[in-house]
Amino acid sequence: MGRRKDRSEFALIEQLRVSARARGDVRVGIGDDAAIVRAARHRDLVLAIDTLVADVHFPARTDAAAVGWKALAVNLSDLAAMGAEPAWATLALTLPRGDARWVRDFARGFGALARRHDVALVGGDTTRGPLTVTVQAHGFVPRGRALLRSGARVGDRVFVSGTPGDAAAGLAIVQRRLRAAARDARALVARLERPAPRVALGLALRGVASAAIDVSDGLAQDLGHVLAASGVGARLDVDAVPASAALRRAVPERRARHALQLAGGDDYELCFTVPARRAARVAAIAAKLRLKLTAIGTIVVGRGLRLHDAAGHEVASPTGGWDHFRS
Ligand SMILES: [Mg+2]
């Protein structure tokens, strides 16, 4: 099969281009065979890529603007977890058919988040096939100052941003496995469909956090990646993990809520570790960013994650509770 594009496909990419930001460091953007950007000296270039497949990563009937927002958000979240400042993005869009309205709405959602974070879309490709969106995002950190998963040390405090579990509850609502009052349902589904990548937090954590990861697959699993990469264990207080008011009302049963908060994915919050001597700086960052940052545990000698409740009693891994919740 050839790679010839029809006119409508060029129009799609053009719509997407104008929806995003122009940046002074883009020498050649969409319109030539490849983009040329000006990479700065004394900075490391940070690259992230993520693919969203309809009915695997989002329900196919999801509003196209939400898909556009989320496709960029999940990548900006990965850059945030590295402490990187986003700059450019490229996009590969596979569509079952030429649907001008779907693309216009997709561009609106993508563009709204791109403008918020000063991201220029510098390249794009469209093909025919099952609905799939791949975005690659590029950003910068000062040389050698990226946040890695491997830096956690015994004695560090474990923090999480925001209120984990909301997106998992939103998914349960969309899939009709959970009911909530209309206002709570809207708030929880919005957390699923339009996650706010914690870009400013990632930047503020450079020189403060010893390790960081974004919560895409669930707090317990993602923190587990930090522990494995750092060769340490952690003790985590499940009662310390903050829950939104909407989540507490929608899932009043404590263990079911903990299961969503620890095993539910798609939050795109940051989980990070901070040496005890720098832990006080986290409160100042929270105040400046007006973002909830909560200490939920401690890095310990050993391997893996041990859970306890506020009374100090060991708690089983939440996986069983999550399965039970799935019904
Ligand atoms: Mg990640």
Side-chain angles (χ1 to χ4, degrees), residues 70 163-175 177-178 188-189 191-193 217-218 247 251 256-257 259-267 322 325-326:
K70 188 160 181 174
T163 52
D166 293 346
L171 180 64
I173 289 166
V174 167
Q175 295 178 338
R177 292 181 287 114
L178 176 68
L188 294 168
V189 171
R191 293 265 292 152
L192 171 73
E193 294 189 340
D217 298 328
L247 180 65
V251 188
R257 191 169 65 239
L260 286 174
Q261 295 200 274
L262 292 164
D266 271 335
D267 286 312
W322 174 236
F325 185 78
R326 269 180 181 223

Side-chain angles (χ1 to χ4, degrees), residues 48 50 74-75 77-79 81-82 149 212-217 222 225 268-270:
D50 214 282
V74 299
N75 283 281
S77 179
D78 277 328
L79 293 188
M82 306 298 285
R149 295 178 178 185
I213 192 166
D214 66 318
V215 180
S216 52
D217 298 328
D222 289 317
H225 295 316
Y268 299 102
E269 297 295 347
L270 295 188

